[in-house]
Amino acid sequence: MTLRKKIILFSSVFMFLVIVISHTAIYFLFYRTASSGEIDQLSVQADALVEGLARSNSISEEARSDLLSAYLPANGMIRIIDETGADIIPIQTKSQQYQNLEKNYTASETSRIVQDNDTGSNFAIIEKPVIWENGDIVTVQVANELVYLDETMETLTYVLFFSSAVILIPTIIASIALSRFLLTPIQKLKDTMRRNIHNKNWQKIDVESRFKGENWQKSNVEKRSKDEIYEMEITFNEMIDSLKENFEKQEAFVSNASHELKTPIQIIKSYAQLIERQGKKRPELLDESVGAIDSEADRMQNLVEQLLLLAKHKSENKKQGVNIQEVVEQVIQTFQKAYPERRIQFDIEEGNYETFGNIDQLKQIPYILIENALKYSEGDVLVSMYSDVKKSFIRFKDFGEGIASEDQEKIFDRFYRVDRARNRETGGTGLGLAIAKEIIEAHGGEITVESEVGQGSTFIWQIQKNISNK
Ligand code: ADP
């Protein structure tokens, strides 16, 4: 069943039940009130009759009959019966229907409403004990057909049926309108999603026009209210933007990665062909070719390792308390051994450098930044650390070629290298800073660069102290 049908069905059935319950209650409440009014009225008449009878002791049969007919209700009956149920005087009525009425001798006053099974008519009956002229206690039975009540109840039934329809029809119309109001944007969303799946064109929803495609002019549509549906459409559009951006990034990444791998493969291949063609005749080519093949293979290895690192750090989640000072010192020592001719100076202000994170990933940061500082400068490298209440700051300063301001943002993009030709010589892949940035951001930190061409560069890594984002 469609959502539209469910909304219409649910609201109509619910309203129908509410109407049935409330109208039934109204019907019975009215019936009770009206019938008890009728009984009260009949009771007053019966009292008057009893009083009249008391005042007219020892009158003639005929005079008594006249008296009774004077008290006879319009559609009613008066009967006086003794203990055995026999009529003391003939039944007074203009209608034959009272002949079968049950004779009820009673010692106390009773009142009730009974229904005639054959005609369906209702009667109010009052029975009162009275002392008859011979001293016996007899029962005066006064009954009246509730003609007006029956008519009123019938009219009430029609009125209630009519009002039920009057309430139910607008309810159904309102539920159709509501379902349309709610479902049109959902339908639009569904269609847009479908089109995106089939055409892969990152289509978004036109949020300004709600009933687009149904003869609604955009100019006629008032500015939309900022309701939940509007929010949903905006969120959908944002999701499409973000998916598109990620997809394009992935595409660029794959194409960059394959391009980066293609160059060393081509070089290796062309040297292999050179050896094949001329290797035997010119053995001096062998050394040069093997050297080139070896260095290109190193490049590829380096690139593949960095690509793996990029993929890996996202899936790794092993975090612990880490002392950044120890991490930085260890990395400096490693580089100092590998580059004994270069000086890596380390300054640290006293303080707490504890943080929370993945130690293997955090080690990558000083590794990448010190390697770059050594790679892109010839002089000393300065590493300094200080901290405030919340954060630790680690600065990596070199006095090398520097980075132009227009490149400073881009160097954190994957595969971006300022001077491709020169960087080939340094063996760069353009992935180091991108990896560093991703790791730092995954740990809630930040990396910035300050640099001037020809003066050198300073990379500043900020990291939160004691982060507990497990
Ligand atoms: P690469 O493997 O090329 O070093 P990175 O992502 O680490 O890749 O760096 C991106 C680019 O930023 C480098 O190619 C280089 O041009 C520039 N760069 C990075 N660090 C420095 C630095 N300390 N001094 C000058 N340029 C730098």
Side-chain angles (χ1 to χ4, degrees), residues 439-459:
I439 294 175
I440 289 171
E441 286 178 353
H443 284 79
E446 211 182 305
I447 183 164
T448 48
V449 62
E450 291 167 2
S451 181
E452 230 175 277
V453 178
Q455 301 289 310
S457 317
T458 307
F459 285 84

Side-chain angles (χ1 to χ4, degrees), residues 302 306 368-369 371-377 396 398 400-403 407 410-420 423 426-435 449 451 456-459:
N302 189 18
Q306 293 213 304
I368 290 166
L369 296 174
E371 190 186 34
N372 276 352
L374 292 170
K375 219 160 49 175
Y376 300 110
S377 77
F396 302 84
D398 66 63
E401 60 200 67
I403 306 157
D407 290 319
K410 298 182 202 152
I411 53 173
F412 296 100
D413 293 345
R414 291 171 178 184
F415 297 108
Y416 187 82
R417 282 168 289 171
V418 175
D419 181 349
R420 284 182 170 258
N423 285 352
T426 56
T429 59
L431 287 174
L433 288 178
I435 294 171
V449 62
S451 181
S457 317
T458 307
F459 285 84

Side-chain angles (χ1 to χ4, degrees), residues 294-305:
D294 189 42
S295 97
E296 288 306 311
D298 279 349
R299 248 181 90 69
M300 273 172 67
Q301 189 183 10
N302 189 18
L303 187 68
V304 170
E305 272 168 9

Side-chain angles (χ1 to χ4, degrees), residues 55-295:
R55 268 191 269 110
S56 58
N57 262 350
S58 339
I59 58 167
S60 70
E61 214 41 42
E62 204 180 326
R64 181 171 288 134
S65 190
D66 285 348
L67 176 78
L68 291 179
S69 30
Y71 285 106
L72 185 66
N75 303 296
M77 169 223 74
I78 296 175
R79 186 153 65 179
I80 301 172
I81 51 172
D82 64 14
E83 210 171 344
T84 62
D87 285 328
I88 290 179
I89 52 158
I91 181 167
Q92 297 289 315
T93 179
K94 290 177 189 145
S95 164
Q96 284 305 304
Q97 58 188 341
Y98 294 106
Q99 296 299 340
N100 304 330
L101 194 70
E102 189 198 350
K103 291 174 178 168
N104 187 23
Y105 179 81
T106 170
S108 59
E109 184 175 336
T110 62
S111 65
R112 66 206 142 96
I113 299 248
V114 293
Q115 191 177 41
D116 184 332
N117 290 338
D118 300 333
T119 60
S121 315
N122 287 307
F123 300 95
I125 301 172
I126 302 274
E127 284 139 357
K128 280 177 185 284
V130 171
I131 301 170
W132 199 240
E133 51 194 43
N134 57 5
D136 289 350
I137 295 176
V138 296
T139 296
V140 175
Q141 201 176 28
V142 183
N144 194 20
E145 190 183 349
L146 303 176
V147 181
Y148 298 117
L149 180 66
D150 286 347
E151 277 173 15
T152 312
M153 291 317 290
E154 203 177 314
T155 313
L156 182 66
T157 311
Y158 290 132
V159 168
L160 291 180
F161 266 115
F162 179 72
S163 68
S164 302
V166 167
I167 299 170
L168 206 57
I169 290 167
T171 307
I172 294 171
I173 294 172
S175 66
I176 292 171
L178 178 74
S179 69
R180 202 179 129 90
F181 180 77
L182 287 175
L183 296 178
T184 306
I186 293 178
Q187 182 69 37
K188 213 165 75 175
L189 185 71
K190 198 180 83 187
D191 292 344
T192 314
M193 282 177 179
R194 278 239 167 87
R195 278 199 296 276
N196 275 325
I197 293 169
H198 293 307
N199 311 338
K200 300 202 165 45
N201 56 357
W202 309 110
Q203 218 181 67
K204 293 202 267 181
I205 292 177
D206 180 359
V207 285
E208 291 308 319
S209 148
R210 171 165 285 193
F211 299 103
K212 207 184 162 204
E214 292 182 22
N215 303 329
W216 278 68
Q217 288 298 308
K218 198 170 174 177
S219 53
N220 290 345
V221 180
E222 288 172 44
K223 272 263 163 221
R224 276 184 61 181
S225 69
K226 309 280 180 275
D227 54 17
E228 284 84 350
I229 290 174
Y230 178 85
E231 296 285 330
M232 182 185 78
E233 292 179 359
I234 293 282
T235 312
F236 175 83
N237 286 350
E238 282 169 3
M239 186 189 76
I240 289 288
D241 281 340
S242 135
L243 282 176
K244 188 176 176 204
E245 197 187 315
N246 279 333
F247 182 79
E248 284 169 357
K249 268 192 194 160
Q250 288 292 337
E251 254 187 353
F253 178 69
V254 171
S255 100
N256 281 336
S258 42
H259 180 81
E260 293 297 321
L261 283 168
K262 224 164 84 188
T263 318
I265 290 171
Q266 263 169 358
I267 296 173
I268 290 173
K269 213 165 166 217
S270 54
Y271 274 109
Q273 283 166 350
L274 185 70
I275 297 169
E276 196 181 37
R277 279 196 316 264
Q278 303 189 13
K280 286 188 191 125
K281 283 182 253 156
R282 295 171 60 191
E284 76 278 7
L285 278 180
L286 273 178
D287 280 348
E288 186 197 331
S289 306
V290 170
I293 288 172
D294 189 42
S295 97

